[in-house]
Amino acid sequence: VGQNSTGRFLALFDYKTEKYIIAKNKKVGILYRLIQLSVIGYIIGWVFITKKGYQETEEAIQSSVITKVKGVSVTNTTESGLLVWGPEDYAIPPQGDAVLFVVTSFLETPNQKLGYCAESPKVADGLCQGDEDCEEGRLVLAGNGMKSGRCLKKDGHSKGTCEIYEKNVGPLLTNAENFTIYIKNFIQFPKFSFSKSNVLETTDESYLKRCRYDEERHPYCPIFRLGDITRRAGHNFQDMATLGGSIGMSIQWDCNLDKGYSHCHPQYHFTRLDTSVSNKTVAAGFNFRHARYFKNGSGESYRSLFKVYGVRFNIMVHGKAGKFSIVPTAINVGSGLALLGAGAFFCDMILLYVMKKGNSYRERKFENTRYDKLNRSTDIDRSSCCLFKVKVEGG
Amino acid sequence: VGQNSTGRFLALFDYKTEKYIIAKNKKVGILYRLIQLSVIGYIIGWVFITKKGYQETEEAIQSSVITKVKGVSVTNTTESGLLVWGPEDYAIPPQGDAVLFVVTSFLETPNQKLGYCAESPKVADGLCQGDEDCEEGRLVLAGNGMKSGRCLKKDGHSKGTCEIYEKNVGPLLTNAENFTIYIKNFIQFPKFSFSKSNVLETTDESYLKRCRYDEERHPYCPIFRLGDITRRAGHNFQDMATLGGSIGMSIQWDCNLDKGYSHCHPQYHFTRLDTSVSNKTVAAGFNFRHARYFKNGSGESYRSLFKVYGVRFNIMVHGKAGKFSIVPTAINVGSGLALLGAGAFFCDMILLYVMKKGNSYRERKFENTRYDKLNRSTDIDRSSCCLFKVKVEGG
Amino acid sequence: VGQNSTGRFLALFDYKTEKYIIAKNKKVGILYRLIQLSVIGYIIGWVFITKKGYQETEEAIQSSVITKVKGVSVTNTTESGLLVWGPEDYAIPPQGDAVLFVVTSFLETPNQKLGYCAESPKVADGLCQGDEDCEEGRLVLAGNGMKSGRCLKKDGHSKGTCEIYEKNVGPLLTNAENFTIYIKNFIQFPKFSFSKSNVLETTDESYLKRCRYDEERHPYCPIFRLGDITRRAGHNFQDMATLGGSIGMSIQWDCNLDKGYSHCHPQYHFTRLDTSVSNKTVAAGFNFRHARYFKNGSGESYRSLFKVYGVRFNIMVHGKAGKFSIVPTAINVGSGLALLGAGAFFCDMILLYVMKKGNSYRERKFENTRYDKLNRSTDIDRSSCCLFKVKVEGG
């Protein structure tokens, strides 16, 4: 038993290797070589170099965006009088979120009180039972304005009259084009505990006041002129200013963390979102109404209704980070090797079924009885080992 | 040498193939066939057909959401008098973000000034040092109202009195159920540079005013009645209207880009978020307070405090796109092939150890020196099989 | 033919296995064993135990966040007089979104009307043509205040004067540190149809009023003291209160769904976002301006401008869920096996080229001679090739 176990233990370290036969067939040999080369080329060239198959990637990016708009404009209208528009007025909401709206044009209906319904119930056309009856923007025959699409009813009454307002294209905030928007973006890749900001880390206060984004010269100056943004999105700011619009700014972080912190840069892309791909303009434009509420001396409340047109900026951050990891590398290498095996099988099929001498090969490949003595040249063998090399790799 | 190198070069194109022995054993053969079939079935049926293993998938969807609410309601209360509620009043915020709140009921505490503290300091129960002492909603004995959970202190003083308001269920915006919400969603899959919107691309203006979403007939009409949304979420709108609630609308884009643009459709799902799975109602309801600020003739500022109940809509967009890619295909095929190798190994073990004639197979499988005279302990063979095991596994 | 086809069918179930030769070489054997062990160790230890390679993971988490701030503070200033600050005043926006801002300090410029431009055009230094000329915060020589960075122009005029305001550090909301923020987070993993909330499911109303988050004792109490949040972020609240700041709260859900519902817990991390990694303080602080609008008896509108400093909380939810799936398991096992093949090839190369007795091994490994007449039916062979086919596929 002692001997046995010793033998068993020693035998553990006998190395076994597959037995091969040499098929002196150049056609198939060349074919197999080609398959090998293409598979290896695919693995190295495509999987590893192009697709970075050796990297573990993280697509769940964490992002925080802060925006700040700057610039002043002045408007003068009969309803509203002379107005100075600062960020606190034209930026909605003012607190600087990732989605913000900049007023470029507005219509004010001041001093609305209930009972304000410019349309008198006598005008049949102005009567309504629901909003459906007050098609927005439709001119009221014999009326004095356009319908706001709203049906105002005294409570209890089933009938009401359409709310009316003068629909004229409002005054433009002329130099809204020159407003600047400061976009501060802070990102994290939790998996790799990597974090970065799109703002230059400088102690020079003035830089972040004066600079404007430029892909080459100021990639880390996150200040954009509104006019430039729309231009990059392929649209003219003045065209958008009258009826408003919606612009998507996507900040893309494609980070190869193997190259380190300094090789992970933000890229800015701008798209107009309110016009469809086919530029059917039905959905184009962006506006909404908001109100300011007042009370007069006698405590009666009234309001000013603003219909504001403007550009809505939607800042979307996306990106992914890649870092070398042994797992995907092993998976890609392993499956690549297995593909070589498929190649070998393909060649065997040709050898055995397509080639004229297929049967002879078959007889040698599949040993079914005794076999005999061997003699051969080492050159061929050396080369055969090369072949064999890839063979075993393949499977 | 020249000859050698030539021979070596030619030999490169000799094809080598493994030598096999035939084990005429039907049992193992059948077993192996079964293993083959199951593995192949798994690869084709599950990996490729079910899981679309041939596709590269993108889960980082880019999305932009714009909402617009429509509808008018009228309320009449003693504090607030007659009020017309338009979107600019009941939609908070009014600018139409992906998270929006629709007021369905409200409590106004008008004309608050400091010193407003309905509770007189004499009422011991009304005294407080911190918010803890003013449990929200608790009725004040001998007091005249319910506590707002807020302790108002004159500055400097450590003691103050509890803010009081009449807590009654406010008036309902009766027809809030019929308000409609227009949800415009624009998505992008950057990896595949694919983008689409959930709005029908039509030139017929009226369609997007009249239509209502219907899964079959109007899948690209993004207009929903609030009542329908809550119904789809499995709740009654009126129930939610009084105490408010929170509804999650998820728009799901599962796109098989191999089938092309027209096969990528949005799907809408609605969930109520403020009631837990187990419907324990402690966290149910949704409300918040906001204020409107006024100044009287003498420049004194005062405010109206609104406690608004309503439905909060949280629009969440998710989805993924899949497109054929050679990399995942190769990985899945390769690893599948490798599994076949494991199957082969399993059968070998059975053949060599379970079958009665195992030794005879072993003698032929493992060529030791001269074939006929073999003197070795089966132990070594057993071990060689272990080696072999991994060998075959490896390929 | 009948016989043939029968034989062919039977032969289908002959089992074929590769022929091996035994190389009694301990060195290579040991080397191969080591390679085997390391590969197996890598597969089991790293891929499966550490990286959970047997799980299918979902990183696209669906999340809905609702926040509610509580607490009251009182300020007293000359411009604003005595003010009580409730959530509706200091929380911006008040509706409780995932991004919210809490005022900790403010500067009011009350009763602004147009024509308000404290700087008289005579003061050359106050003249401007654009915002560039009005560097924010710069003191005006012979002027009466600091520039707001805004150039006010009468419309039409190209020249204007700089808007001025007294820049002093505003009063602090002294006990803002003790405000509490209630964060309700509801998550979903659509792929696994798994959903959970970070709020304890209890019927005890008072618990969610009294409790404070504690990692050990109250992991499902989502109420945080502002002071605690900043402390966890490594900063002192009072330092941030004066100039404001931005804090990122990330709620992380790492769920191993194989362990079930109760093993999926939220984890809270706090980071300060407005100071860069290198703590260069140029970008530090957070503030913005907003206005309240009034009308006097004669209908003239004026406004109060608030410059508010405070802490901006940005709640970011991320996480991933893993669940056992056969696909990734098969991929990892398969590619691991393939790696063993690579190891075997490596050993072969050493055996054949490095070892002294390489040639003798080669002679036995590669069989090269004429082969003798074999008498067997090609049917069996054909079938054996079928077997062989799959065999090679398998490896």
Side-chain angles (χ1 to χ4, degrees):
Chain A
V1 172
Q3 258 191 342
N4 271 3
S5 57
T6 319
R8 198 180 283 114
F9 178 76
L10 290 179
L12 261 179
F13 301 109
D14 285 338
Y15 182 67
K16 307 273 175 305
T17 178
E18 287 147 325
K19 180 147 189 164
Y20 275 68
I21 63 165
I22 302 177
K24 289 201 179 299
N25 183 313
K26 296 277 177 285
K27 291 205 196 73
V28 180
I30 291 172
L31 174 66
Y32 184 55
R33 280 274 177 260
L34 293 179
I35 295 177
Q36 283 174 16
L37 289 179
S38 56
V39 171
I40 292 169
Y42 152 77
I43 295 176
I44 295 174
W46 183 251
V47 177
F48 282 92
I49 295 176
T50 313
K51 289 285 182 184
K52 296 209 175 55
Y54 55 87
Q55 284 189 333
E56 177 181 40
T57 63
E58 157 96 292
E59 286 195 345
I61 185 174
Q62 284 301 301
S63 155
S64 156
V65 173
I66 298 177
T67 58
K68 192 161 200 169
V69 198
K70 279 196 174 178
V72 175
S73 184
V74 179
T75 61
N76 194 359
T77 62
T78 51
E79 304 97 351
S80 320
L82 188 60
L83 286 180
V84 175
W85 292 78
E88 61 277 4
D89 306 303
Y90 61 69
I92 302 173
Q95 64 263 28
D97 290 343
V99 176
L100 83 160
F101 174 83
V102 173
V103 177
T104 55
S105 169
F106 71 103
L107 290 166
E108 182 177 4
T109 322
N111 311 327
Q112 287 186 319
K113 291 184 190 178
L114 193 61
Y116 157 86
C117 188
E119 204 55 30
S120 83
K122 296 180 200 61
V123 183
D125 186 38
L127 283 177
C128 58
Q129 286 182 314
D131 292 357
E132 312 77 57
D133 305 340
C134 303
E135 189 184 330
E136 180 160 8
R138 176 140 162 283
L139 198 65
V140 185
L141 320 165
N144 44 17
M146 269 178 172
K147 296 179 181 177
S148 70
R150 208 97 58 67
C151 182
L152 301 187
K153 303 178 185 179
K154 302 278 177 300
D155 61 328
H157 294 59
S158 72
K159 283 202 179 316
T161 54
C162 296
E163 184 190 48
I164 304 295
Y165 59 81
E166 295 292 327
K167 184 169 191 172
N168 50 9
V169 174
L172 289 177
L173 277 62
T174 44
N175 58 341
E177 192 167 359
N178 299 322
F179 294 166
T180 59
I181 177 170
Y182 174 105
I183 299 168
K184 187 176 177 187
N185 179 211
F186 177 89
I187 62 144
Q188 274 177 309
F189 287 109
K191 189 192 284 180
F192 304 124
S193 62
F194 174 90
S195 67
K196 196 168 183 179
S197 159
N198 69 332
V199 183
L200 185 70
E201 291 187 3
T202 173
T203 47
D204 172 11
E205 287 243 10
S206 64
Y207 177 76
L208 288 179
K209 291 197 178 305
R210 298 256 171 283
C211 73
R212 293 286 174 272
Y213 174 77
D214 181 285
E215 210 154 330
E216 280 68 37
R217 284 174 295 117
H218 302 298
Y220 280 90
C221 167
I223 300 177
F224 298 83
R225 215 175 123 274
L226 296 201
D228 297 341
I229 292 177
T230 50
R231 191 170 44 66
R232 286 164 173 274
H235 291 266
N236 179 302
F237 187 86
Q238 294 309 331
D239 302 347
M240 294 181 71
T242 41
L243 285 179
S246 172
I247 287 205
M249 307 181 55
S250 73
I251 309 181
Q252 187 163 359
W253 297 82
D254 282 343
C255 298
N256 180 348
L257 299 188
D258 295 330
K259 289 189 179 173
Y261 186 84
S262 58
H263 282 66
C264 173
H265 301 304
Q267 281 175 311
Y268 301 87
H269 303 287
F270 305 91
T271 335
R272 183 167 181 179
L273 302 179
D274 59 323
T275 52
S276 62
V277 185
S278 55
N279 272 314
K280 299 221 179 59
T281 56
V282 54
F286 185 73
N287 66 72
F288 64 89
R289 294 195 190 80
H290 70 93
R292 291 175 187 166
Y293 302 88
F294 308 103
K295 289 195 178 187
N296 60 16
S298 57
E300 272 185 299
S301 51
Y302 59 99
R303 69 178 195 183
S304 285
L305 179 66
F306 289 85
K307 183 175 188 180
V308 287
Y309 298 82
V311 184
R312 181 183 192 262
F313 296 96
N314 190 344
I315 295 159
M316 307 174 284
V317 180
H318 65 276
K320 62 179 197 300
K323 198 170 194 172
F324 171 80
S325 167
I326 189 67
V327 176
T329 311
I331 288 178
N332 283 307
V333 171
S335 56
L337 298 185
L339 284 179
L340 285 174
F345 155 72
F346 180 65
C347 294
D348 280 323
M349 288 299 99
I350 290 181
L351 186 70
L352 296 168
Y353 294 111
V354 180
M355 293 295 151
K356 275 183 305 307
K357 286 170 56 196
N359 280 353
S360 69
Y361 290 124
R362 191 176 301 120
E363 282 162 4
R364 288 169 55 210
K365 183 173 180 62
F366 297 98
E367 165 188 301
N368 207 6
T369 55
R370 333 246 137 285
Y371 56 77
D372 53 2
K373 318 273 160 301
L374 325 159
N375 56 345
R376 81 207 67 56
S377 91
T378 56
D379 295 335
I380 292 178
D381 283 329
R382 191 175 306 287
S383 64
S384 9
C385 295
C386 304
L387 286 168
F388 164 64
K389 152 188 179 148
V390 195
K391 197 75 184 56
V392 168
E393 255 184 324
Chain B
V1 172
Q3 255 189 341
N4 273 2
S5 58
T6 318
R8 199 177 281 110
F9 176 74
L10 290 177
L12 261 179
F13 301 110
D14 286 337
Y15 180 67
K16 306 272 175 307
T17 177
E18 286 147 328
K19 181 150 189 161
Y20 275 69
I21 63 167
I22 303 177
K24 289 200 179 303
N25 183 312
K26 296 276 176 285
K27 293 204 195 72
V28 180
I30 290 171
L31 174 67
Y32 186 53
R33 280 273 175 263
L34 292 180
I35 294 178
Q36 283 173 15
L37 289 179
S38 55
V39 170
I40 292 169
Y42 151 77
I43 294 176
I44 294 173
W46 182 250
V47 177
F48 281 93
I49 295 177
T50 313
K51 289 286 180 183
K52 296 207 174 55
Y54 55 86
Q55 285 189 334
E56 176 181 40
T57 63
E58 157 98 292
E59 287 195 344
I61 185 174
Q62 284 301 302
S63 155
S64 156
V65 173
I66 298 176
T67 58
K68 191 161 200 167
V69 198
K70 278 196 175 178
V72 176
S73 185
V74 179
T75 61
N76 194 358
T77 62
T78 51
E79 304 97 353
S80 320
L82 187 60
L83 286 180
V84 175
W85 292 78
E88 61 276 5
D89 306 303
Y90 61 70
I92 301 173
Q95 64 263 28
D97 290 343
V99 176
L100 83 160
F101 174 82
V102 173
V103 177
T104 56
S105 168
F106 72 104
L107 290 167
E108 181 176 4
T109 322
N111 311 327
Q112 287 187 318
K113 292 185 187 175
L114 194 61
Y116 158 85
C117 189
E119 204 56 28
S120 82
K122 297 179 197 62
V123 184
D125 185 39
L127 283 177
C128 56
Q129 287 183 311
D131 292 356
E132 311 77 57
D133 306 340
C134 303
E135 188 184 330
E136 180 161 7
R138 177 142 160 281
L139 197 66
V140 183
L141 320 165
N144 45 15
M146 269 179 170
K147 296 178 181 176
S148 70
R150 208 96 61 67
C151 183
L152 302 187
K153 305 178 184 179
K154 304 279 179 298
D155 61 328
H157 294 60
S158 72
K159 283 202 179 317
T161 55
C162 295
E163 184 190 48
I164 303 296
Y165 60 82
E166 294 293 325
K167 185 172 192 172
N168 50 9
V169 173
L172 288 177
L173 277 62
T174 45
N175 58 342
E177 192 166 359
N178 299 322
F179 294 167
T180 59
I181 176 169
Y182 175 105
I183 299 168
K184 188 177 179 186
N185 179 210
F186 177 88
I187 61 144
Q188 275 177 308
F189 288 108
K191 190 191 283 180
F192 304 124
S193 62
F194 174 90
S195 67
K196 196 168 183 179
S197 160
N198 70 332
V199 183
L200 185 70
E201 292 186 3
T202 173
T203 48
D204 172 10
E205 286 242 11
S206 65
Y207 177 76
L208 288 179
K209 289 194 180 308
R210 298 256 171 283
C211 73
R212 294 286 174 273
Y213 174 77
D214 180 283
E215 209 154 331
E216 280 67 38
R217 285 175 292 116
H218 303 297
Y220 281 89
C221 167
I223 300 177
F224 298 84
R225 213 175 125 274
L226 295 202
D228 297 340
I229 291 178
T230 50
R231 192 171 41 70
R232 286 164 173 274
H235 291 266
N236 179 302
F237 188 86
Q238 294 309 329
D239 302 347
M240 293 182 72
T242 42
L243 286 179
S246 172
I247 287 206
M249 306 181 57
S250 74
I251 309 181
Q252 186 163 358
W253 296 82
D254 282 343
C255 298
N256 180 348
L257 299 187
D258 295 330
K259 290 188 177 171
Y261 186 84
S262 59
H263 282 65
C264 173
H265 300 304
Q267 282 175 311
Y268 301 86
H269 302 287
F270 305 92
T271 335
R272 183 166 182 179
L273 302 179
D274 59 323
T275 52
S276 62
V277 184
S278 55
N279 274 314
K280 300 219 182 59
T281 56
V282 54
F286 185 74
N287 66 72
F288 64 89
R289 293 196 190 79
H290 71 92
R292 290 175 187 167
Y293 302 88
F294 308 102
K295 290 196 178 188
N296 59 18
S298 57
E300 271 184 303
S301 50
Y302 60 100
R303 71 179 194 182
S304 286
L305 178 66
F306 290 85
K307 182 175 187 179
V308 287
Y309 298 82
V311 183
R312 180 183 192 263
F313 296 96
N314 190 344
I315 295 159
M316 306 174 285
V317 180
H318 64 276
K320 62 180 196 299
K323 198 170 196 173
F324 172 79
S325 167
I326 189 66
V327 176
T329 311
I331 288 177
N332 283 307
V333 171
S335 56
L337 298 183
L339 284 179
L340 285 174
F345 156 69
F346 180 66
C347 294
D348 280 323
M349 289 297 100
I350 290 180
L351 187 69
L352 296 169
Y353 296 109
V354 181
M355 293 296 149
K356 275 183 304 308
K357 290 170 53 199
N359 280 354
S360 71
Y361 290 124
R362 193 176 299 118
E363 281 161 5
R364 288 170 54 209
K365 184 173 177 64
F366 298 98
E367 168 185 301
N368 207 347
T369 49
R370 309 269 134 274
Y371 178 76
D372 11 287
K373 315 273 158 297
L374 303 166
N375 51 349
R376 73 189 106 54
S377 78
T378 55
D379 303 328
I380 293 179
D381 284 328
R382 194 176 305 285
S383 65
S384 9
C385 294
C386 302
L387 285 168
F388 164 64
K389 152 190 179 147
V390 193
K391 198 72 184 57
V392 169
E393 256 184 320
Chain C
V1 172
Q3 257 192 343
N4 272 0
S5 57
T6 318
R8 200 178 280 114
F9 177 77
L10 291 177
L12 261 179
F13 303 110
D14 285 337
Y15 182 67
K16 307 272 174 307
T17 178
E18 287 145 328
K19 179 148 189 163
Y20 274 67
I21 61 167
I22 302 177
K24 289 202 177 302
N25 184 311
K26 295 278 175 283
K27 292 205 195 74
V28 180
I30 291 171
L31 175 66
Y32 185 54
R33 280 277 177 257
L34 292 180
I35 295 177
Q36 282 173 19
L37 290 179
S38 55
V39 171
I40 292 168
Y42 150 77
I43 295 176
I44 294 174
W46 182 251
V47 177
F48 282 92
I49 295 177
T50 313
K51 289 285 182 185
K52 295 208 175 56
Y54 55 88
Q55 285 190 332
E56 176 182 40
T57 63
E58 156 97 292
E59 287 195 344
I61 185 174
Q62 284 301 302
S63 155
S64 157
V65 173
I66 299 177
T67 57
K68 192 160 200 168
V69 198
K70 280 197 174 177
V72 176
S73 185
V74 179
T75 61
N76 193 359
T77 62
T78 51
E79 303 97 351
S80 320
L82 187 61
L83 286 179
V84 175
W85 292 77
E88 61 277 4
D89 307 302
Y90 61 69
I92 301 173
Q95 65 262 28
D97 290 343
V99 176
L100 83 160
F101 174 82
V102 173
V103 177
T104 56
S105 169
F106 71 103
L107 289 167
E108 182 177 3
T109 322
N111 311 326
Q112 288 186 317
K113 291 187 188 175
L114 193 61
Y116 158 84
C117 189
E119 205 56 30
S120 82
K122 300 182 196 58
V123 183
D125 186 38
L127 284 176
C128 56
Q129 286 182 314
D131 291 356
E132 312 77 59
D133 306 341
C134 303
E135 188 185 333
E136 181 161 7
R138 177 140 162 282
L139 198 66
V140 183
L141 319 165
N144 44 17
M146 270 179 171
K147 296 177 182 179
S148 70
R150 208 96 60 65
C151 182
L152 301 188
K153 304 177 183 178
K154 302 280 179 295
D155 59 329
H157 293 61
S158 73
K159 283 202 178 318
T161 55
C162 295
E163 185 190 47
I164 302 297
Y165 60 83
E166 295 293 327
K167 185 172 192 170
N168 51 7
V169 173
L172 289 177
L173 276 62
T174 44
N175 58 341
E177 191 166 0
N178 299 321
F179 294 166
T180 60
I181 176 169
Y182 174 105
I183 299 168
K184 187 175 177 188
N185 179 211
F186 177 89
I187 61 144
Q188 274 177 309
F189 288 108
K191 190 191 282 180
F192 304 124
S193 61
F194 174 90
S195 67
K196 196 168 185 180
S197 159
N198 70 332
V199 183
L200 186 70
E201 291 187 3
T202 173
T203 48
D204 171 10
E205 286 244 10
S206 65
Y207 176 76
L208 288 178
K209 290 195 179 307
R210 297 259 172 281
C211 73
R212 294 286 174 273
Y213 174 77
D214 180 283
E215 209 154 330
E216 280 68 36
R217 286 175 292 116
H218 302 297
Y220 280 88
C221 167
I223 300 177
F224 298 83
R225 214 176 123 271
L226 296 201
D228 297 340
I229 291 178
T230 50
R231 191 171 43 69
R232 285 163 173 273
H235 292 265
N236 179 302
F237 187 86
Q238 294 310 329
D239 302 347
M240 293 181 71
T242 41
L243 286 179
S246 172
I247 287 205
M249 307 181 56
S250 74
I251 309 181
Q252 186 163 0
W253 295 82
D254 282 343
C255 298
N256 180 349
L257 299 187
D258 295 331
K259 289 189 179 172
Y261 187 83
S262 59
H263 282 67
C264 173
H265 301 304
Q267 281 175 309
Y268 302 86
H269 303 286
F270 305 92
T271 334
R272 183 167 183 179
L273 302 178
D274 59 323
T275 51
S276 62
V277 184
S278 55
N279 272 313
K280 299 219 182 61
T281 57
V282 55
F286 185 73
N287 66 73
F288 63 89
R289 293 195 190 81
H290 71 93
R292 290 176 187 166
Y293 302 89
F294 308 102
K295 288 196 178 186
N296 59 19
S298 55
E300 273 184 299
S301 49
Y302 60 99
R303 70 178 195 183
S304 286
L305 179 67
F306 289 85
K307 182 174 189 180
V308 288
Y309 299 82
V311 183
R312 180 184 194 263
F313 296 96
N314 189 345
I315 295 159
M316 306 174 285
V317 180
H318 64 276
K320 63 179 195 299
K323 199 169 194 173
F324 171 80
S325 168
I326 188 66
V327 176
T329 311
I331 287 179
N332 284 307
V333 171
S335 56
L337 298 184
L339 285 179
L340 285 174
F345 155 70
F346 180 65
C347 294
D348 280 323
M349 289 298 100
I350 291 181
L351 185 70
L352 296 169
Y353 295 110
V354 181
M355 294 294 150
K356 276 184 303 308
K357 288 170 54 199
N359 280 354
S360 70
Y361 291 123
R362 194 175 300 118
E363 281 163 6
R364 289 169 52 208
K365 184 172 177 65
F366 297 99
E367 165 186 307
N368 200 11
T369 63
R370 343 248 126 286
Y371 46 85
D372 50 7
K373 312 279 155 293
L374 308 164
N375 55 347
R376 80 190 90 57
S377 86
T378 56
D379 303 329
I380 293 179
D381 286 329
R382 194 174 304 286
S383 66
S384 12
C385 296
C386 303
L387 285 169
F388 164 64
K389 152 191 182 148
V390 192
K391 199 73 185 55
V392 169
E393 253 182 326

